[in-house]
Amino acid sequence: SELSEAQLKKIGRPNYNSISVDAASSGNPGIMEYRGVDTKSKKQLFKQGPFAQGTNNLGEFLALVHGLSFLKKHDSDRIIYTDSRTAISWVRKKTCNSKLERNAKNKPVYDLVDRAVQWLKENEYETTIVKWETKAWGEIPADFGRK
């Protein structure tokens, strides 16, 4: 569904004082990876994976927490964009509600998830998390381009 001129105007342009995070999973569950990039230049700032088994939601969650910890470590005032409402809600609740059952194949992913949840519980952060407006701006700059 296309946005009207008025809607586009109201949404405005992305804030380029930001980083963008995204995940890709081939199959659900399937091989999963995630990364964070500078929103303006698309320069890759971090990347994890590919992991043998994960889901898009797990990847989006890990990408968002990795981004928060990256910005905190660099004492950055940048905002962070994600196109995942699920990841935003899991981060707010400091939890991960994945339905994927833990097994040997996805242990590396769940080890990172456990660390991410622990990080959220132990750290304060000032970073503003913003939903990327895909309909207005196109795919998020961190997108893996596999659609």
Side-chain angles (χ1 to χ4, degrees):
S1 64
E2 294 297 301
L3 295 177
S4 69
E5 283 299 312
Q7 285 171 306
L8 284 172
K9 201 169 176 169
K10 187 167 164 258
I11 292 166
R13 304 298 318 144
N15 173 349
Y16 286 119
N17 186 33
S18 62
I19 71 170
S20 297
V21 298
D22 199 21
S25 169
S26 35
N28 215 11
I31 295 170
M32 181 274 285
E33 57 191 320
Y34 74 79
R35 67 178 177 168
V37 305
D38 174 83
T39 303
K40 193 172 174 61
S41 69
K42 298 189 182 180
K43 178 177 167 286
Q44 191 165 281
L45 303 169
F46 58 82
K47 177 177 183 295
Q48 292 284 330
F51 299 100
Q53 190 187 67
T55 65
N56 208 51
N57 282 340
L58 284 171
E60 299 274 12
F61 170 74
L62 289 171
L64 188 50
V65 179
H66 194 139
L68 290 170
S69 109
F70 174 89
L71 292 171
K72 181 167 182 164
K73 203 179 337 184
H74 291 84
D75 202 19
S76 172
D77 67 351
R78 297 203 272 181
I79 68 168
I80 188 166
Y81 282 113
T82 171
D83 60 11
S84 168
R85 288 186 202 286
T86 300
I88 293 172
S89 110
W90 289 359
V91 164
R92 285 214 181 107
K93 294 175 186 151
K94 301 181 200 282
T95 185
C96 164
N97 288 332
S98 177
K99 305 281 180 280
L100 184 65
E101 294 218 8
R102 292 178 183 242
N103 61 37
K105 208 171 183 188
N106 61 40
K107 186 180 188 304
V109 170
Y110 270 116
D111 286 347
L112 282 180
V113 166
D114 293 340
R115 273 176 47 197
V117 169
Q118 191 175 353
W119 188 90
L120 289 170
K121 288 180 173 160
E122 292 173 358
N123 287 273
E124 302 270 310
Y125 58 87
E126 303 287 305
T127 308
T128 306
I129 300 169
V130 185
K131 172 80 173 59
W132 180 261
E133 298 286 352
T134 307
K135 281 192 175 129
W137 303 331
E139 289 299 340
I140 193 162
D143 185 65
F144 283 86
R146 299 222 193 101
K147 303 261 176 326

